[in-house]
Amino acid sequence: MSTKDIISIIRKEVSAKRLMQSVKEVSCYHRVQASQGYRDAAMHCREYLRSLGIQADILSYDANGKDFVGPYKLFQEWNIEKAYCDVLYPIEKRIADFSLEPISVIQKSYPCDVEAEVVLMDKGSDPKGYDDIDFHGKIIFIHEHFKEYAWVVQERGAIGYISDFYQEVPFIRNREEMQDSLSYTSFWWKHTEEEVKAFGFVLSPRDGKELSLLCEQVRKDYADHRCESPYIRVHAVVRSKLFDGHYDVVEATLPGKSEDTILIIAHLCHPCASANDNASGVSGGMEILRSLHTLIEKGKLAPLQQTVKLILVPEFTGTYG
C-alpha cells in the first residue's frame, strides 16, 4: 500500500465533528498547571482514550516549589475554591467573580479575606511618583503588567492587585477592540522565604475604565472635603491553597513491532475556556490515536511497525518531567 493510499484512508477516518467535540469538552476545564482543574481534564482525556481501547495512564510528578526538572524550577500545586472582589464604597458592585470568569483572578493567588482601600496607579510604574503614598495594607489598581509594580507589594506593604492590563499585539488585537476581554494572568512564585505573598484580580478594559473613573471621582471628592478618604474601598476574598502536591502527564500508547517511538505532544494546561491554547492540540492528538487504532482494529491498516505515543502535558514542566 502506498503512502498516498494510507493517507487517504486516515483522512477519511478523521472526524471534524469529533475534533470539535473534544475541544469543547477539554476547554470546559480550568486547566492551571498543578491544580485539581488540570487533573480533572487529564482524567477526562485518560478515560476517553481508555473507552476507545487505547492504553492510557496518568503519570504524576512532584510539584513542591523546591526541586528542578532540567533547568526548570518546580512550583507548588494550587487549588482554588472561590474568589470575588466587591466594591464597597462609594457604590456596591461585584467587579470580579471566579465562579463566572475563572481568569478574573490572577492565577496562583494566595488566600485572603480583607476589606482594603484601592490606590489608582495612574502615574506609571516609577516609584518616585508615589513617594507621598502609604501603601501598607492597600490594594493597587494598575493598567500595566503587574510585574512592573512588584516593588509596591515587595517593598511598600501593598497586599494585592487589581489589573485591567491587556496585552496588545500590533495588527492582531488592541485594547479598544477587546473591551470585554480579560487577560490570562498568573503569578509564578519563586517560593523563597523573602518573597511576599499576594493576590490579585483581573478586569476587562471596559470595567477597568469604569473603576478608574470611580477612583478619580472619590479622589476629587476627598480634595473637596466631601469624603474622609481619597480611595475607594473593596472586599477581596480568595479561598485558595498552595501546597506541595503533584502535576500530571497523560501518556497514551499504540504499541508497534519496534520500540522505536513516534512521539505526539500537546499541552493540556491553560485556563477555561482556552481552545487554541491548547485544547485544539489535545483534541488533534487524541483523534490521531483514535483514527489509527480504529483502522488497525478494522484491518484497514497494517499493525504499526513503530510505537506511537501521545503525551498531554502541562507545558514545559510536563515535558521536562
Side-chain angles (χ1 to χ4, degrees):
M1 187 182 298
S2 69
T3 300
K4 184 177 180 181
D5 290 336
I6 292 172
I7 291 173
S8 178
I9 290 170
I10 295 173
R11 190 186 297 273
K12 291 176 182 178
E13 177 61 32
V14 170
S15 167
K17 289 185 177 180
R18 189 177 282 107
L19 281 162
M20 180 59 73
Q21 182 61 31
S22 291
V23 169
K24 291 177 180 178
E25 291 172 356
V26 170
S27 62
C28 286
Y29 293 95
H30 191 53
R31 309 177 311 278
V32 174
Q33 292 193 17
S35 72
Q36 188 59 48
Y38 176 93
R39 190 166 296 119
D40 290 343
M43 293 174 64
H44 169 88
C45 294
R46 181 193 66 182
E47 294 310 305
Y48 171 69
L49 291 162
R50 285 182 174 180
S51 74
L52 302 171
I54 297 172
Q55 175 188 332
D57 297 290
I58 292 179
L59 312 177
S60 291
Y61 303 88
D62 289 339
N64 56 28
K66 299 185 288 289
D67 297 332
F68 285 78
V69 281
Y72 203 79
K73 187 177 182 182
L74 296 172
F75 42 79
Q76 288 186 311
E77 183 168 337
W78 180 72
N79 287 321
I80 181 168
E81 177 186 342
K82 68 187 300 185
Y84 57 85
C85 184
D86 293 337
V87 177
L88 301 178
Y89 173 82
I91 62 172
E92 294 184 3
K93 181 181 181 180
R94 179 154 295 184
I95 57 174
D97 190 336
F98 176 80
S99 68
L100 298 176
E101 290 280 3
I103 59 173
S104 67
V105 176
I106 298 181
Q107 308 305 301
K108 302 183 186 292
S109 282
Y110 273 87
C112 69
D113 188 343
V114 297
E115 290 188 14
E117 293 180 320
V118 177
V119 180
L120 174 62
M121 306 294 285
D122 56 354
K123 299 177 183 178
S125 58
D126 188 343
K128 295 179 181 178
Y130 305 95
D131 287 339
D132 59 337
I133 295 179
D134 178 10
F135 287 103
H136 185 77
K138 293 181 174 65
I139 297 170
I140 59 172
F141 178 27
I142 58 178
H143 307 307
E144 301 171 273
H145 196 285
F146 74 89
K147 290 181 180 179
E148 301 295 326
Y149 296 84
W151 59 270
V152 192
V153 171
Q154 299 297 321
E155 303 170 13
R156 299 279 294 273
I159 57 175
Y161 305 85
I162 297 173
S163 170
D164 68 351
F165 170 68
Y166 190 81
Q167 183 67 58
E168 297 187 278
V169 181
F171 309 110
I172 302 295
R173 65 187 187 206
N174 61 62
R175 187 179 178 91
E176 292 304 315
E177 293 176 344
M178 307 294 286
Q179 282 289 300
D180 297 308
S181 297
L182 281 73
S183 291
Y184 168 46
T185 313
S186 180
F187 294 111
W188 293 97
W189 300 112
K190 297 178 182 178
H191 299 297
T192 58
E193 290 186 4
E194 62 272 15
E195 190 172 52
V196 179
K197 302 174 178 64
F199 58 87
F201 296 91
V202 180
L203 306 183
S204 68
R206 188 186 308 278
D207 290 340
K209 184 176 182 179
E210 290 182 5
L211 192 66
S212 292
L213 292 174
L214 198 64
C215 290
E216 291 168 2
Q217 181 60 52
V218 170
R219 190 160 55 190
K220 184 176 184 300
D221 289 345
Y222 176 75
D224 293 339
H225 306 289
R226 289 199 293 264
C227 60
E228 296 180 356
S229 170
Y231 308 117
I232 69 168
R233 192 167 187 84
V234 302
H235 180 205
V237 174
V238 178
R239 293 184 183 172
S240 65
K241 183 179 181 183
L242 282 104
F243 59 97
D244 288 352
H246 299 88
Y247 67 92
D248 305 292
V249 173
V250 180
E251 182 183 71
T253 306
L254 296 179
K257 295 180 179 180
S258 166
E259 291 185 0
D260 291 342
T261 301
I262 296 170
L263 181 64
I264 304 167
I265 181 170
H267 68 265
L268 180 58
C269 62
H270 270 50
C272 175
S274 294
N276 288 331
D277 201 356
N278 189 19
S280 57
V282 170
S283 176
M286 294 196 297
E287 181 64 2
I288 291 170
L289 261 64
R290 186 204 68 80
S291 298
L292 292 176
H293 177 73
T294 299
L295 292 169
I296 293 168
E297 289 285 297
K298 291 180 178 179
K300 293 184 177 182
L301 287 182
L304 294 170
Q305 294 297 313
Q306 295 170 299
T307 294
V308 177
K309 189 183 295 290
L310 169 69
I311 57 172
L312 307 177
V313 302
E315 61 177 329
F316 298 110
T317 315
T319 311
Y320 285 127

